[in-house]
């Protein structure tokens, strides 16, 4: 509990408790969740715990995207993707990349989203990680939407391109796409999605 963590004075325990509380509040009180998760990331960073910091930031950026702040979310995910890659943590990497995929679709970056989908599918990560049922349904609907928007031939080619990428290439590709999408005025990214 938070009280126990405060009593112990362990920054890692405090970061873990803020993270757990933030997760619990995500669906009911997203603003409070964001505050807790941001606090968890700061405390974890100060304690030198890159993993808890990365877990918390993965959720922070997701909440920002849900609020429509796509630029901040994507710029944040570029760092998180880097952290997981440097740490060799692929299970967390796939979760972060799946969230980036959803943002790419929201921003109508359909070809990039399909390439990323291809890479995630090739490594078995598109469905391997825990998924809330509605998130799984949304992903399935999104992939159908991508197929119809791009057309079957272009969709298949983009999936093939993604599937042929090695891990380092996937990370580079995602960071390049984020750089392109966030290079202009940050407000234009949100406006484009409307």
């Amino acid at each position: 509990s938070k009280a126990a963590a405060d009593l112990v004075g362990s920054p890692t325990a405090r970061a873990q408790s803020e993270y757990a509380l933030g997760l619990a509040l995500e669906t009911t009180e997203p603003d409070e969740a964001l505050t807790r998760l941001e606090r968890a990331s700061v405390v974890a960073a100060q304690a030198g715990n890159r993993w808890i910091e990365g877990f918390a930031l993965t959720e922070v950026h997701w909440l920002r995207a849900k609020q429509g702040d796509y630029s901040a979310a994507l710029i944040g995910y570029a760092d998180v993707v880097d952290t997981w890659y440097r740490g060799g943590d692929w299970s967390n990497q796939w979760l972060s990349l799946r969230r980036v995929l959803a943002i790419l679709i929201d921003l109508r970056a359909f070809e990039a989203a399909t390439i990323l989908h291809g890479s995630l599918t090739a490594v078995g990560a598109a469905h391997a990680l825990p998924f809330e049922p509605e998130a799984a349904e949304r992903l399935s609907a999104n992939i159908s939407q991508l197929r119809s928007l791009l057309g079957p031939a272009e969709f298949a080619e983009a999936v093939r391109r993604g599937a042929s990428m090695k891990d380092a290439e996937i990370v580079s590709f995602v960071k390049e796409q984020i750089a392109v999408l966030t290079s202009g005025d940050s407000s234009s990214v949100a406006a484009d999605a409307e």
Side-chain angles (χ1 to χ4, degrees):
S1 75
K2 185 179 182 317
D6 286 343
L7 201 63
V8 175
S10 157
T12 296
R14 207 162 68 244
Q16 283 176 314
S17 92
E18 291 287 359
Y19 172 68
L21 193 52
L23 279 186
L25 293 168
E26 270 191 9
T27 50
T28 55
E29 296 178 56
D31 291 340
E32 179 64 16
L34 187 58
T35 300
R36 297 290 183 164
L37 291 161
E38 284 177 328
R39 194 175 302 150
S41 73
V42 170
V43 174
Q46 289 167 347
N49 192 317
R50 299 289 287 166
W51 263 258
I52 296 174
E53 182 188 6
F55 298 153
L57 288 174
T58 295
E59 300 305 316
V60 164
H61 305 322
W62 187 235
L63 287 170
R64 289 205 184 293
K66 285 181 173 178
Q67 292 173 346
D69 192 352
Y70 292 105
S71 267
L74 284 173
I75 289 165
Y77 273 125
D79 284 341
V80 169
V81 163
D82 240 11
T83 297
W84 299 141
Y85 184 62
R86 285 198 313 272
D89 186 338
W90 284 96
S91 60
N92 282 301
Q93 183 72 286
W94 301 133
L95 174 61
S96 295
L97 290 176
R98 219 168 51 195
R99 298 238 168 120
V100 170
L101 170 62
I103 296 169
L104 291 175
I105 293 169
D106 284 350
L107 293 177
R108 310 182 67 75
F110 299 130
E111 186 184 10
T114 304
I115 291 168
L116 182 54
H117 166 67
S119 66
L120 290 173
T121 303
V123 295
H127 303 284
L129 291 160
F131 241 142
E132 315 85 73
E134 64 274 12
E137 285 165 24
R138 181 174 179 234
L139 178 65
S140 182
N142 283 340
I143 300 313
S144 299
Q145 179 193 16
L146 288 174
R147 192 179 285 108
S148 62
L149 284 162
L150 291 175
E154 197 178 330
F155 178 84
E157 172 56 22
V159 167
R160 189 199 59 71
R161 272 184 61 196
S164 71
M165 288 182 182
K166 293 178 174 57
D167 293 346
E169 292 172 312
I170 297 167
V171 170
S172 295
F173 173 77
V174 166
K175 289 173 67 181
E176 282 162 22
Q177 295 307 309
I178 289 172
V180 167
L181 287 166
T182 59
S183 62
D185 170 13
S186 61
S187 63
S188 68
V189 174
D192 288 348
E194 286 167 12

